[in-house]
Amino acid sequence: MVLAIPPLVTQFAQVLQDAPGLRDDLVEWLEQYAWAQSLSKQLASADMDFASGAGTMLLGQSSNVVGGFTYALTTLFLAAYWLSDPVRSRSMIYAVVPRQHHIKLARILIELKIIVGGYMRGQLITSAACGGFVFATLMILGVPNAVAFAIFAAVVDVIPLIGGLIATLPVLAAVAPRGPVVLGVVAIVMFIYQEFESRVLVPRVYGRVLRLSPAIVIIAILVGAALLGMLGALLALPIAAGVQMVIRELRFELPGELHGDEKTRTSDEKADLIYSQLTEGATAADAAIIASELAAKMKESGR
């Protein structure tokens, strides 16, 4: 952060300062083509005074900004409190769940940890790869402010389905004044990278952790976006994977599925019996520890 933030702030400010000139260069280039006359007129009439516009917007939305900052700070401290004492946090959950379901609860919590951790690591990997690729491409072409464009691409890459397109547009705008050949080459290169990320990188990074089919991925993102907007789209995949895992761990038999095998049922009943014997008279905190250890041993043995 010490190395990246100062040049990022400087380059982002430079991008805002150079935006009117970049707009003029892009308009001049588009005016050479008849098919782009309408687009060039719209760009020429666009307001490029970002600094004053951003200040006015922030002043008008000051109450929302303060409220959002307060919620974010509260969430941060609440998460810190939960993480600082995981045993007590788990015991609160185990205290309200009947003991005959504690083993299933322990398995669900273990799987949720794997799903959320894998999703976060996967998102960091794909975002870093996208940002690194954009940075390398712009540095090879000698485009100024490559760090700012790369950081922007890495951030918007977290948006499902359209993140790659949003990351590509500023890159194309930055190289457009260099001519149609460079613009076409960069567009093709960015398209190839987005195909590589969506068809090779993402399945390898998320596939084993989330275990979601392509159809479920698309449906989950659409439903999440419809319910909670952008936040819902971002959280759709881990939530869908979590719901699928909970259904599997609770041994629900969905329509059209075969009944669970007798070996699995016997293993569950044996684990419940052992747990009830070990936790007789134990507190919720001790029961949570025993259930977690027993569930972890069952996972290691493949049961």
Side-chain angles (χ1 to χ4, degrees), residues 173-186:
V175 301
R178 296 173 179 257
V181 176
V182 175
L183 178 64
V185 171
V186 172

Side-chain angles (χ1 to χ4, degrees), residues 66-148:
V66 172
F69 178 76
T70 303
Y71 280 122
L73 195 62
T74 303
T75 303
L76 179 64
F77 276 97
L78 183 61
Y81 290 144
W82 277 73
L83 292 173
S84 64
D85 192 359
V87 176
R88 180 175 297 181
S89 303
R90 281 185 304 175
S91 65
M92 293 171 57
I93 302 174
Y94 280 88
V96 299
V97 175
R99 292 217 170 181
Q100 62 267 29
H101 302 304
H102 279 190
I103 296 297
K104 292 180 180 179
L105 174 62
R107 285 204 302 259
I108 289 173
L109 293 178
I110 291 174
E111 292 294 333
L112 282 178
K113 181 179 179 181
I114 295 173
I115 289 173
V116 175
Y119 178 76
M120 295 300 294
R121 288 192 300 271
Q123 192 61 70
L124 287 174
I125 291 172
T126 54
S127 293
C130 181
F133 182 81
V134 169
F135 178 77
T137 301
L138 296 181
M139 287 296 293
I140 291 173
L141 296 174
V143 176
N145 307 317
V147 173

Side-chain angles (χ1 to χ4, degrees), residues 96 219 225 256 299:
V96 299
I219 293 174
K299 183 175 179 61

